[in-house]
Structures are given as structure tokens and as C-alpha cells.
Amino acid sequence: MTRTIAVCLTALSMFAAAPVVQAQTIYPLTRAEILAGSKFDFKVEFPASPPEADVTVTINGQPPGAVLGGQSRYSANEDGMDHGALWIKGAIIPTPGVYTVQATAAGKTAEVRWEVFGTPARRAKNVILFIGDGMSVAHRTAARIMSKGIVEGRYGGELAIDDMPHMALVSTSGTDSVVTDSANAMTAYTTGHKSCVNALGVYCARNKASLDHPKVETIAELVKRKNGMAVGVVTNTEIEDATPAGMVAHTRRRADFNDIVKMFLDAAPEVMMGGGSPNFLPKSTNGSKRTDGEDYIAKFTAAGYRFVSTATDMKSAAAEPGAAKLLGLFNTENIDGALDRLVLKKGSVGRFPDQPELADQVRVAIELLTKSPNGFVLMVESGRIDKYTHTMDPERAIFDTIMLDEAVKVAKAFAEKANDTLVIVVPDHAHSVAIIGTQDDDLPGQTPREKLGIYEKSAFPRYPRAEGSAYPSSVDVPRRIAFAFGSYPDHCENGKPYLDDPNVPAVAGEAKGTFIANEKYCDRPGAVRITGNLPASAPQAVHAADDVVLTAMGPGAELFRGRIDNTRVFRVMATALGLAPP
Amino acid sequence: MTGVLTRRLLLALPLLPGAARAGDAAGITFDGLYESFGVTGLVFAARLKALAGSPVAITGFLAPPLKAESRFFVLTREPLAICPFCQSDADWPLDIVVVTLRRAASMPPAGARLMVTGRLGLGGWTDPETGFVSQIRITDAQLARA
């Protein structure tokens, strides 16, 4: 199914909302931290389309080409619009330092300042970056309660994600808004540049086409180009979704899924695993979401990838002698969450009974990537922590937090062998969630508020342990974590877990672009109707601007401390890998 | 409000010669569209293939339409919790049915449960007006509230 219509509408609304540009805009924006030797597109936009002769741009007093390499190119009416644009694509600044850029036209001068940073010599052979998408402190605490148990205020064990020597608070806001999304947030981690909502690996300029915005190089591209390293991208979401796409993509629109599949092929990560197969299938294939006849499974196979679609095949492919490159697509959409796969057998588990556990994906990825003599960068995402939190489905979100922890265990066991691997666990943004007590079936009444135990009545929840498993064997217990959402659409709830299919709190309403409570849940015993606190246009709970908690171990991890901007995660990885050595 | 819209819609859609009549139509369901649903593609159910070109009737939910006056809309198994026409990262489910009315009409409100009767079309097809690619279509369709 094509997304052409969505593309047109989004493009229109994007430009309708664009602010009137009063002064020149210089990309990268001011206070950018740029890795010495990394590639980026330099662009200056001039309002009112001055002729080239009236435009002056300098970097530390020199012509831009002398500093960035290459020749600048000017267009007085870019994309037929009323602004001029000066570009140097694929610019590189090899020498660290402070760079001041001035752009003058019609008597007005705009100025930005960049910090170009170098790195010491390489200390880490490998980097494993875990993203808990939307993972907030409440997810972490709830996962610890559910997985380890809590008695008299003491936990029955530590989560692997907690038991790390270094920690920092990470701020996630982008260049355009205090609350960000996964595309923009991932761009900060993979490029060191902050961008705007929906953007991957680009600054958000005034260009009409989503693929024309000023690009910045990603960690995957950098480590291949500079160090000849291998790259892995492992997720349980669709592989073209924002977080995995952030490793390779350059687009103003995260929904350019078909373009993103091509960007994956061009960037050629040695290991790619996730869901989202329809964007790999030619449109002639029933079930395709492409708008062209390209068969990307065939293209990846021709490029030397082994293609697998089940967990069983994934494991056996890794064991094959000579196996090096793997494309694993395990669902047409997202891989089902751990609660559906392991306990409830709901969601799409009936259609896709042999989907992998994230820890097994990581085990296979490491097995393949360690064949690279030059080390590797592996990104691993537990992506449905976010998606299930959007849909207000606490038990599924908490199970997928435990799933992340299980995957981190595998990486830690690998990293501890040689102590040459930097392991980072970080959310990309927060949700407004909190544990406010326990939902207790033994309390009198019917409705969730009557059955909510607060303060001294929030007796410790009990989830049955499954022998040899980090997951409880059931979430349908009489005393449960009361997981509250700070943002919500109109919806009905009864304080019980969603034991059938995943929760869908709101559905499209009669008024265009509005969402109303999904009546399916309004008749459940004890259900109450809640009026949303979000704009009626929001169908789900939304992200929050709260800082998120990063933990890390291995060479370079000591650089994480205090509060940092999300761009610092890139800088620490680049530093540990020595991507701009003296 | 809803009733008025529905009546307007049905008034705008007189039964045309050649259009499928509900009485002649074979009932199909979203659960019965595919016999296999896998990573490398979907396979239509044998019964669906046998009905290609024939009048069929199916019940589903109206996805938020692209515009108020249209002859083209998407029918889904469940009420849509997302709006692929409104949100940049929202995506259509795979098992949708694209419905084309004989001529443009006022659409019922999004989320309405509808019975759609019309001629079944199968296989990849790109709508020349919108560029929308579909695999299962019902053309010359008429609607009723389900």
C-alpha cells in the first residue's frame, strides 16, 4: 500500500507551519558539536532571494570552501521559493577548534559558532548501543519488581541495565521543540547533531523534498569509512522504523520507509534484524507496501546477505561456516512483544509463531559481527516499550523492558571477556509514567480508583516466578503494579491487564482528525470512562520531555556523568572508538 | 447527525444498472481474505479468488477519509487507532479493502461500521487519481450502516 497521499499531506502541512525566516539560517545550527573529519552538508539560507553578488559567507574569516573543502554553490531561488541557498555538500573540517560562521546579506549578518572536536587514540574495539525506546524510570522500576520481586522494600536481584558502573541523566529536546520523537532523538545519538521531530540524519531546512535537507554523517557510516568496522542493527520494531533507521538514514520524514530500505542497502550493515518486511517486497507481491517493482530481499541476497524469517533459521544461519551478513525479517509489522510471544500467545503470534527473542537476536548478531577484525558497532532496540506505553498497555511495556534487560545480559557477558567493548543502555526519550501504588483486587468496590492501594495500602505486588526465566509466568495476578499515565486520550479502563490483544485505547472519532474512547473496553467489569487530557487529535499517550537515565560500562563509559545532552552519547562513542585521533 | 449523513450518502448513491445488489452478493469477511500471511507475502484464500469479479458484501470500519467528498475510501477490520492520512509515521494495516463508489459522495464519519456491497477486484492495482496501491478492492460499491 502506498503512502503517497500521506506524503503529500505531510509535506503541505510542514511548509504551512514553517516560520517566516527573518534572518539567514546557517546549518549546522549554532553550538553544533562536530566530529573532526566527519562529513556534513553546509547550508546557508538567505531570505528574500538576494543575488549571489550580494551574499557573503565566511568561516573564521575565510571563504567557506577553504575551510570545508569543495566549492560552494548558490541558488537564488531554491526549489522555486523566495530564499537563496548556499551549499557545500559533504563538507569536512579536519582540525579541531572553534569555528565562527558569518553570513551577510542586505546589511544583516547572522553568526553561528561550532565546536569541532577531536578524539584521543582508539580505546574501544566495539560499541554496543542499547536503546530502550521511551523507557522511563517507572518502566525500569516496574521491570525490577516484576522480574526480581520485592520483599520488605528490598529487591530480589539487580537488573543488568542497572548494574553498570557509570550513569548519566540525558536531556532529549531537539532543535524545534521541548518534547521530541524517536527519529530526532536517534539522530542525536548516531550523528551528534540535534535535529527536529520526524527527521533522521539531516538538519531541518526549507527544502521541499524530504531527501534534500542538509545531511550529517551517522556513526554507522563513520565507523565503516574511517575504521573499516562492521555494523549491526537489531530491533523488534519494523527495521525501517525511526530508531533502527537512525543508524543509516538521511531524510526529513521518518515515514519515507521505501527510501530508508534503500539507504540500508547502500549503508550495508552486516547484520540487520527486525520486522517490517512489506517495504522489501515488490509491489506486485501481495502484501507489499512498496510503490515500485524493486525486490529488496533479492537485492540484499545478491549483496551477500543470508535472508531468514524465523528464529530457528536465524540461529542456524549464524552457525553456518562463512556466514557474515544476515538480513532477518520476522514479521510484516513489529515483532510481537515478549508478553504475547511467551505468555499470552496473542497479537500476531498465531500468524508468526517463530519470532525471535531480542537476547537471541543479540547473541547471533555478536557471533556474526565478531568475525570483523576491525571491531563493530551494534545498535539494539527494544522498541515496543514505547509503542505499548503509547497505547497504555503497562504489562506489555514492562515485559519488553525485561526483554531489553535480558538482551543487555548477553552483551555484558560478551563485553566482560575482553573489556574492549563500550556498552551503553539509554532510552531515546521519556513517557509520562509513574508507579502510584498497586491495583488490588482484594480491596472493596469495582472501579480502578476503589481498587488502588496507595501509600501503606500499596502492598508489594506478587508475580509468579517461572523457573529459569526472567519473566513472570503470568501478569493476571490479584495485586498488580498500578502504572499511571500522565497523558491520555479519551479512553475506558478497568485497572486490569489486557489479556486478549494489545490495548487500543482510542479510535478515530466522527469529527475529522479526532479520537474517542474505544468502546470495546467500556463494557468490561469495573470499567470507567476517562476524559482525555490531550488534544482530541492525539490517539495515544505522548512522549515527555523528562530526562532519561543512561547506564554504561567498558572503555570510555567513565565519560558519562551528571546531566548531558543526548548529543554527548555520540561524542563518547566517537571518543572511545578514536574516530578523530591526533 | 450520523443518520443525516448516512441518508445523504445513500441518496447520493442510487443503485445503478450493473452495480452489484446486496441480495446477489456473496458474504466475505476480513478473517477469510488470506490463506497464508507471511513475511515474504500474502496468499489470497481460494474462496476469495473464486469470487474475483463477482458481487460480494463485507463488513468493516471506515478509515478516516482523505477528503469529505470522495469516491474512494479504505475499509479496515478494526476501527483505526491511527490516521495514516494525518500522521507522518502512521501506516496502514496490510489487510485492508479499498472501496470505490460509482461516483463521489459525502462520506459517513470515520469509524462508522459499514456493510459494503460491490464487485470484487483482486491483485495489485494503482489508483490513477491518488497513487494508492491496493490488493483487494470493491468497485461500483454501495454502502449501508452495519
Side-chain angles (χ1 to χ4, degrees):
Chain A
M1 184 56 55
T2 177
R3 297 175 187 83
T4 312
I5 300 161
V7 173
C8 300
L9 291 181
T10 308
L12 283 174
S13 61
M14 196 163 83
F15 288 104
V20 177
V21 178
Q22 299 296 341
Q24 297 85 329
T25 310
I26 302 168
Y27 308 95
L29 300 177
T30 199
R31 297 179 66 186
E33 302 165 69
I34 302 172
L35 174 71
S38 69
K39 288 186 185 174
F40 62 95
D41 289 345
F42 173 65
K43 184 184 186 193
V44 185
E45 290 170 346
F46 296 89
S49 297
E52 185 166 12
D54 294 355
V55 162
T56 312
V57 177
T58 62
I59 300 178
N60 287 355
Q62 295 182 271
V67 176
L68 304 177
Q71 195 66 41
S72 59
R73 194 170 45 76
Y74 185 76
S75 148
N77 293 96
E78 185 181 49
D79 292 347
M81 293 190 285
D82 62 350
H83 69 267
L86 180 141
W87 284 87
I88 294 181
K89 294 193 176 173
I92 287 180
I93 302 180
T95 312
V98 174
Y99 289 78
T100 303
V101 187
Q102 289 186 317
T104 305
K108 280 187 186 165
T109 298
E111 181 177 299
V112 303
R113 198 165 289 194
W114 304 328
E115 182 200 354
V116 175
F117 66 93
T119 69
R122 182 171 176 178
R123 290 175 56 210
K125 183 175 185 190
N126 315 303
V127 170
I128 306 180
L129 173 65
F130 283 94
I131 308 291
D133 201 312
M135 182 172 70
S136 310
V137 172
H139 293 109
R140 212 177 180 101
T141 309
R144 200 182 309 121
I145 292 171
M146 214 186 249
S147 180
K148 309 296 175 190
I150 180 167
V151 176
E152 294 176 344
R154 293 185 190 276
Y155 289 95
E158 289 294 334
L159 294 175
I161 58 175
D162 289 339
D163 186 17
M164 290 191 152
H166 301 284
M167 183 181 262
L169 272 184
V170 181
S171 302
T172 63
S173 298
T175 59
D176 60 332
S177 55
V178 66
V179 178
T180 196
D181 79 323
S182 291
N184 184 20
M186 192 59 177
T187 295
Y189 293 159
T190 59
T191 72
H193 294 263
K194 279 184 184 276
S195 188
C196 66
V197 169
N198 285 335
L200 288 164
V202 295
Y203 275 93
C204 299
R206 302 189 78 207
N207 297 80
K208 278 187 176 162
S210 58
L211 303 187
D212 286 351
H213 293 248
K215 299 176 179 62
V216 287
E217 197 168 19
T218 70
I219 187 95
E221 295 164 326
L222 269 163
V223 299
K224 277 184 170 278
R225 181 169 69 82
K226 293 213 149 213
N227 288 358
M229 295 169 68
V231 171
V233 183
V234 168
T235 181
N236 66 328
T237 68
E238 300 183 11
I239 192 81
E240 15 354 64
D241 203 352
T243 303
M247 289 292 282
V248 300
H250 301 281
T251 171
R252 175 67 183 82
R253 277 187 76 250
R254 57 185 282 177
D256 288 339
F257 301 121
N258 291 330
D259 297 303
I260 289 168
V261 169
K262 178 177 187 305
M263 293 173 198
F264 267 113
L265 183 69
D266 292 343
E270 279 69 11
V271 175
M272 292 171 54
M273 286 190 247
S277 63
N279 294 98
F280 287 72
L281 307 176
K283 81 170 179 182
S284 56
T285 299
N286 192 356
S288 165
K289 288 190 175 183
R290 291 198 70 81
T291 51
D292 58 31
E294 305 290 340
D295 180 345
Y296 271 87
I297 290 179
K299 283 175 189 278
F300 273 95
T301 307
Y305 286 78
R306 172 89 154 78
F307 170 69
V308 295
S309 61
T310 64
T312 307
D313 286 352
M314 172 189 82
K315 289 175 194 165
S316 59
E320 284 169 18
K325 294 203 277 187
L326 183 72
L327 171 66
L329 299 173
F330 306 103
N331 198 308
T332 50
E333 300 180 25
N334 301 305
I335 295 173
D336 283 290
L339 183 61
D340 285 312
R341 278 185 296 105
L342 303 173
V343 179
L344 300 175
K345 307 295 176 191
K346 298 289 185 180
S348 68
V349 170
R351 284 172 170 172
F352 301 100
D354 190 15
Q355 302 172 83
E357 171 75 6
L358 192 65
D360 290 330
Q361 291 175 265
V362 171
R363 203 170 281 118
V364 166
I366 290 175
E367 204 171 315
L368 292 170
L369 293 170
T370 46
K371 294 178 180 177
S372 156
N374 299 325
F376 64 84
V377 170
L378 169 62
M379 190 292 297
V380 182
E381 182 199 25
S382 179
R384 298 192 79 168
I385 301 170
D386 173 68
K387 294 181 194 299
Y388 291 134
T389 306
H390 275 299
T391 54
M392 306 172 68
D393 198 327
E395 284 76 13
R396 284 182 172 81
I398 299 165
F399 254 62
D400 278 16
T401 309
I402 300 172
M403 181 177 79
L404 173 70
D405 198 62
E406 288 294 283
V408 169
K409 262 188 215 167
V410 174
K412 284 174 75 172
F414 167 76
E416 277 159 2
K417 278 190 246 167
N419 196 30
D420 59 1
T421 300
L422 169 62
V423 180
I424 301 168
V425 182
V426 66
D428 51 353
H429 58 76
H431 275 272
S432 60
V433 288
I435 298 170
I436 57 167
T438 45
Q439 205 67 53
D440 195 336
D441 291 348
D442 292 335
L443 291 176
Q446 291 297 319
T447 61
R449 69 191 300 186
E450 293 169 294
K451 293 190 170 292
L452 177 64
I454 58 173
Y455 294 112
E456 73 278 8
K457 291 205 173 74
S458 63
F460 296 108
R462 294 270 180 275
Y463 292 92
R465 309 301 307 277
E467 198 56 44
S469 170
Y471 302 97
S473 56
S474 170
V475 293
D476 188 18
V477 295
R479 197 161 63 224
R480 304 172 296 278
I481 294 167
F483 201 80
F485 295 85
S487 73
Y488 41 86
D490 287 1
H491 67 285
C492 290
E493 64 179 48
N494 70 350
K496 301 261 191 183
Y498 297 89
L499 300 176
D500 296 324
D501 285 324
N503 186 20
V504 180
V507 294
E510 294 200 354
K512 190 173 169 60
T514 65
F515 292 87
I516 56 170
N518 188 347
E519 291 295 325
K520 179 174 163 183
Y521 302 106
C522 299
D523 297 332
R524 299 204 306 173
V528 290
R529 194 176 285 273
I530 313 273
T531 301
N533 64 358
L534 289 170
S537 56
Q540 306 178 323
V542 298
H543 299 172
D546 304 12
D547 296 335
V548 293
V549 175
L550 174 150
T551 50
M553 62 178 279
E558 70 284 353
L559 296 170
F560 290 117
R561 60 174 189 80
R563 186 206 68 84
I564 56 174
D565 274 340
N566 50 4
T567 50
R568 182 60 55 138
V569 173
F570 170 84
R571 189 157 172 169
V572 170
M573 293 192 293
T575 299
L577 291 170
L579 293 181
Chain B
M1 176 69 178
T2 303
V4 172
L5 278 174
T6 308
R7 278 195 298 278
R8 275 179 55 202
L9 173 78
L10 295 177
L11 283 171
L13 286 170
L15 199 58
L16 295 160
R21 289 167 193 276
D24 309 333
I28 59 173
T29 64
F30 274 94
D31 282 337
L33 298 181
Y34 298 102
E35 70 180 30
S36 83
F37 198 108
V39 164
T40 54
L42 320 183
V43 178
F44 291 131
R47 176 166 182 268
L48 199 76
K49 283 191 273 193
L51 287 170
S54 306
V56 295
I58 186 168
T59 299
F61 293 88
L62 174 65
L66 180 56
K67 48 190 181 185
E69 299 278 332
S70 181
R71 57 192 288 273
F72 166 92
F73 68 91
V74 174
L75 197 71
T76 57
R77 173 197 293 263
E78 299 282 345
L80 268 194
I82 48 162
C83 173
F85 286 141
C86 329
Q87 278 170 267
S88 68
D89 62 335
D91 206 358
W92 291 102
L94 276 180
D95 56 348
I96 60 170
V97 173
V98 165
V99 177
T100 311
L101 304 170
R102 173 58 68 96
R103 61 182 185 222
S106 294
M107 299 302 289
R113 191 160 186 264
L114 301 174
M115 187 172 80
V116 177
T117 309
R119 199 166 303 283
L120 178 68
L122 293 184
W125 186 77
T126 306
D127 180 59
E129 210 175 304
T130 59
F132 211 86
V133 182
S134 57
Q135 293 290 340
I136 303 180
R137 289 166 303 285
I138 296 183
T139 53
D140 277 354
Q142 54 177 27
L143 310 179
R145 283 284 189 148

